[in-house]
Amino acid sequence: NEGSKNYINKIFILGNSRTSDSIIRRELTFLEGDPFNNAKIKESINALKRLGFFKSVIYNIRKTDITNAVDVILNIEETNTGSVSFGVGYSSLNNTSVTFGLNEKNFLGEGRRARLEASLSEKKTSYNIGITEPYFMDKPISLSSDIYNQETENSKGDIKSDKSGISLGLGIKEDLKSHFLSYNFSQSQTTTSVTSTALSETGEEDQNITTSSITYSISKNTLDNYFNPTSGHRWNLTNTLAGLGGDSSFIKSQAAYKIFHPLL
C-alpha cells in the first residue's frame, strides 16, 4: 500500500555567518509546504556545493508535532571565497614584471563575483576589472561587465600597441544548463617610430582597429562538488562572431569537456 506523504514544515539554515540566507535559498529546489522529496534535497545540496562558497553542506530531517510534516535542517560550513595573488617574474622581452590579482566569488556575502587583475613591467602594462551579478532581480539571470586595457612595446621600443575595451554579458540558468550571451567592443592601435624598420605581420601600423563581436556559449555542470568532486561532468561550447561593425571580421569556436573518473 502507498504510504502517507510527508510535507516540509520549515527549512532551517545554520552556520552561515557571512553568506545571506537568500543566497542559499535560491539554490534550493524545494520550499516550505512542498511534499518531501529526498531526490530534490540531494540535488539542492549538490547545487550549493557547486557554488564554491562552502566547505561542507549537511542536511538533517527532524520530525515535528504536526502530522506528516518534517523540518529540513541545513548545516553550512563556509570557506574562504576570496583569493589574492602576487608575483614577480623576469623575461627577456618584458624584463622584470609584477602581477597582482584579486578574485572574490562571494562579494559582500551576496553571491556576486568581483575580479581585479593587473600586470606591470617595463614593456607591458595590462589590467582587467570585472563584476558579475548571478541572480539579477532574484531571477536566474546573470549580468556581467569587464573593462580592460593593455599596452605593450617591443624590445627595441620602436613599436608600441595599445588595446582597450569593454565586455557586457547576459546569462540565463536553466536547471544544470547555462546560456551566456556577451558583447565585446575594443579598439587597438599600433604605432612605430620614424626610425623603425620593423613591420608587423598584420600590417596594422598607425591604424586604429575597432573590433565589435558577439559571443554565445552554452554549458552544463553536473559535478557534485566545486572543490572535491566524486561524480559528474562539465562541458561548454562557445562561438564568437566579429564583424557587427568595426574593422575586424572572424568566426571563432571553442569546445571543452571534463569528466570526473576515479583512478582507483
Side-chain angles (χ1 to χ4, degrees), residues 7-212:
Y7 294 85
I8 298 174
N9 178 44
K10 291 184 179 181
I11 301 173
F12 295 93
I13 302 175
L14 308 176
N16 55 317
S17 59
R18 181 166 181 263
T19 307
S20 63
D21 284 5
S22 61
I23 305 304
I24 299 174
R25 285 181 174 270
R26 71 189 184 189
E27 298 294 332
L28 304 181
T29 58
F30 58 92
L31 299 171
E32 286 91 346
D34 287 353
F36 178 82
N37 188 319
N38 195 49
K40 283 191 174 183
I41 293 179
K42 291 183 177 180
E43 179 183 336
S44 300
I45 297 300
N46 288 339
L48 290 172
K49 291 180 178 179
R50 280 194 294 268
L51 292 176
F53 301 167
F54 314 112
K55 188 175 182 179
S56 67
V57 181
I58 302 174
Y59 75 94
N60 294 305
I61 307 302
R62 183 176 64 188
K63 294 183 179 180
T64 66
D65 296 334
I66 304 174
T67 304
N68 297 331
V70 296
D71 292 337
V72 178
I73 304 174
L74 300 177
N75 289 284
I76 306 292
E77 184 180 356
E78 295 179 311
T79 187
N80 293 328
T81 56
S83 62
V84 178
S85 60
F86 179 80
V88 178
Y90 179 83
S91 68
S92 58
L93 177 61
N94 299 321
N95 295 332
T96 303
S97 62
V98 178
T99 58
F100 176 77
L102 288 174
N103 196 331
E104 173 58 63
K105 293 180 293 185
N106 190 14
F107 187 61
L108 300 178
E110 296 295 331
R112 299 183 182 94
R113 294 189 289 273
R115 49 200 171 272
L116 168 63
E117 299 172 355
S119 178
L120 305 174
S121 69
E122 183 180 346
K123 300 295 183 181
K124 181 178 179 180
T125 301
S126 64
Y127 72 83
N128 183 90
I129 302 174
I131 190 168
T132 300
E133 169 57 67
Y135 274 80
F136 180 67
M137 300 293 290
D138 292 327
K139 298 183 182 297
I141 299 175
S142 65
L143 297 177
S144 64
S145 64
D146 287 86
I147 299 175
Y148 57 89
N149 177 265
Q150 179 176 292
E151 298 178 2
T152 59
E153 64 179 66
N154 64 350
S155 58
K156 295 181 179 180
D158 54 357
I159 299 180
K160 299 181 180 180
S161 63
D162 185 357
K163 182 177 181 180
S164 60
I166 184 173
S167 177
L168 303 174
L170 171 67
I172 298 177
K173 186 177 180 181
E174 181 184 7
D175 294 330
L176 298 176
K177 287 185 180 179
S178 297
H179 304 266
F180 188 74
L181 185 67
S182 65
Y183 174 75
N184 182 79
F185 180 85
S186 65
Q187 287 187 321
S188 62
Q189 183 180 27
T190 301
T191 59
T192 59
S193 65
V194 294
T195 59
S196 175
T197 58
L199 294 174
S200 69
E201 295 180 356
T202 56
E204 298 177 2
E205 291 82 1
D206 301 321
Q207 295 185 31
N208 288 318
I209 305 297
T210 299
T211 302
S212 176

